[in-house]
Amino acid sequence: FYIPGTIPVGTGESSGPDLNVDAKATRLNFRSDHNLASGDKLSTFIEMDFYLSPGGNERVSNSYNPRLRHAFIKYNDWLFGQTWSTFQDVGVLPETMDFIGVPDGTTFMRQSMIRYTSGQWEFALENPETTITPFGGGTRIVADDGALPDLVARYTIPLDGGHIKIAGLARQLDYDSGGVDDSESSLSLSVSGKHPVGNNGDDIRWMVTTGSGVGRYLGLNTANGAVIDDTGGLEAIDQTGFLVAYRHVWNEKWRTNLMYSALSVDNDTALTGTGVTKDVYSANINLVYQPLPKLTLGGEVMFAEREIESGLDGDMTRFIFSAKYAF
């Protein structure tokens, strides 16, 4: 699937076309809901797909190992376990043939948490993790440090057939290794919405996210949360991303989705070097055919481009076909 930060850049010749066919996106889930004699409500959910390492090869078996996507329990207003981050609005993700779609300026994160819901408010303590750019640039550092959870608060404004969500993220970026022992505070904001257009099923979906140190929560970690400065301390990296998508229903069997997403990173190149991503965007359009209520066939064209701080850029074009049966 499309990962914005991996688009090759440079002045060399373009690579030729490449075909990939797989069923790794297949996912299975199990859910239970219980109304207890005490009046309490208890739910469980577990889901897996097959985007883990291969258990075979393309020569013979094309086997892939299952991986955990979601695993949580809900007891009344409390949730414990792994699921979509409270900072992410899953309801505005557009319908795409790509596994994720247009993640460039989209918040996208699954992780373990404790979440409490009270009416339109949600509050969560989520798993912390800091990603860091070395001083002068280089391979990403995944710190695996931090004593405090990521704090998320979200408020939902219901609308007729849609919604607006406002989410705030506060976290501490930590690194203690290789002579560096520092922490940096991080604050981020994400506002998103879904709005019906007319009465035939059309809608507009959008999201805007900005923050200092938002890092891995945005654009599939295209930019890191912080960079090591010349004194051995951490400096948060600012970035802003957005998504907009329009869904048009032609009739009960045919529909089209048009979407655009972009991310801009404010790097201090004296610290990060010039090999880091400056901007990245992608645009998709698809045609979806649903001959049966649970069967969906679709084709999609994607174009994406990435530029790094040195001025080098690169682009890619994909055609994606998907067949899905929901059961």
Side-chain angles (χ1 to χ4, degrees):
F1 53 85
Y2 169 51
I3 301 176
T6 62
I7 298 176
V9 300
T11 58
E13 294 183 3
S14 300
S15 61
D18 181 52
L19 174 66
N20 184 59
V21 183
D22 67 69
K24 293 182 290 185
T26 299
R27 71 183 66 159
L28 304 171
N29 62 57
F30 305 90
R31 174 175 175 167
S32 67
D33 295 291
H34 311 275
N35 293 314
L36 306 180
S38 60
D40 296 320
K41 294 184 178 180
L42 176 65
S43 301
T44 67
F45 187 83
I46 185 168
E47 182 176 88
M48 66 186 72
D49 64 16
F50 300 88
Y51 266 104
L52 204 57
S53 57
N57 53 61
E58 293 188 30
R59 294 183 297 107
V60 180
S61 65
N62 285 274
S63 303
Y64 285 85
N65 297 311
R67 66 165 185 169
L68 183 69
R69 285 171 53 89
H70 301 270
F72 62 84
I73 60 174
K74 290 182 67 175
Y75 179 66
N76 293 329
D77 297 323
W78 290 89
L79 180 147
F80 306 90
Q82 176 171 303
T83 189
W84 298 114
S85 172
T86 313
F87 193 60
Q88 177 184 351
D89 183 1
V90 181
V92 302
L93 294 179
E95 181 182 30
T96 69
M97 304 302 102
D98 185 78
F99 186 70
I100 296 178
V102 279
D104 314 72
T106 307
T107 58
F108 193 93
M109 177 65 59
R110 288 188 301 269
Q111 60 191 5
S112 296
M113 70 189 69
I114 299 174
R115 179 194 295 165
Y116 176 71
T117 302
S118 178
Q120 308 309 123
W121 282 99
E122 297 168 88
F123 304 93
L125 306 176
E126 304 194 4
N127 183 65
E129 181 61 278
T130 303
T131 57
I132 300 167
T133 301
F135 177 64
T139 303
R140 169 182 292 135
I141 299 170
V142 182
D144 201 23
D145 294 322
L148 299 177
D150 292 356
L151 309 177
V152 187
R154 182 169 69 185
Y155 184 74
T156 301
I157 303 172
L159 303 174
D160 186 15
H163 68 267
I164 293 176
K165 290 182 183 286
I166 304 170
L169 168 68
R171 65 193 191 115
Q172 182 173 287
L173 309 174
D174 294 288
Y175 186 46
D176 182 8
S177 182
V180 177
D181 183 5
D182 195 23
S183 299
E184 175 79 349
S185 297
S186 169
L187 294 174
S188 304
L189 177 70
S190 184
V191 184
S192 56
K194 178 181 177 182
H195 312 274
V197 178
N199 299 314
N200 67 334
D202 289 17
D203 64 54
I204 293 176
R205 309 176 190 205
W206 58 273
M207 175 186 292
V208 179
T209 304
T210 187
S212 177
V214 63
R216 64 190 178 90
Y217 282 88
L218 186 59
L220 301 185
N221 206 171
T222 295
N224 294 318
V227 59
I228 299 175
D229 64 22
D230 55 356
T231 66
L234 295 181
E235 182 175 311
I237 299 173
D238 297 341
Q239 54 181 308
T240 298
F242 72 90
L243 157 74
V244 62
Y246 178 66
R247 177 180 187 258
H248 176 65
V249 178
W250 300 101
N251 53 50
E252 62 179 9
K253 292 187 177 182
W254 293 91
R255 57 185 179 270
T256 293
N257 296 272
L258 176 65
M259 60 211 83
Y260 180 86
S261 184
L263 173 67
S264 178
V265 186
D266 185 13
N267 296 294
D268 183 347
T269 55
L271 304 180
T272 63
T274 59
V276 293
T277 299
K278 177 183 179 182
D279 301 289
V280 63
Y281 74 88
S282 64
N284 300 36
I285 186 170
N286 60 38
L287 182 63
V288 183
Y289 175 54
Q290 193 161 6
L292 302 171
K294 294 185 177 183
L295 178 63
T296 303
L297 308 174
E300 180 169 299
V301 177
M302 169 194 287
F303 178 82
E305 183 171 335
R306 180 170 77 103
E307 180 183 0
I308 62 176
E309 289 288 354
S310 68
L312 294 177
D313 59 18
D315 60 66
M316 52 160 276
T317 304
R318 284 182 177 175
F319 175 74
I320 308 163
F321 174 78
S322 171
K324 181 177 73 174
Y325 178 74
F327 59 92

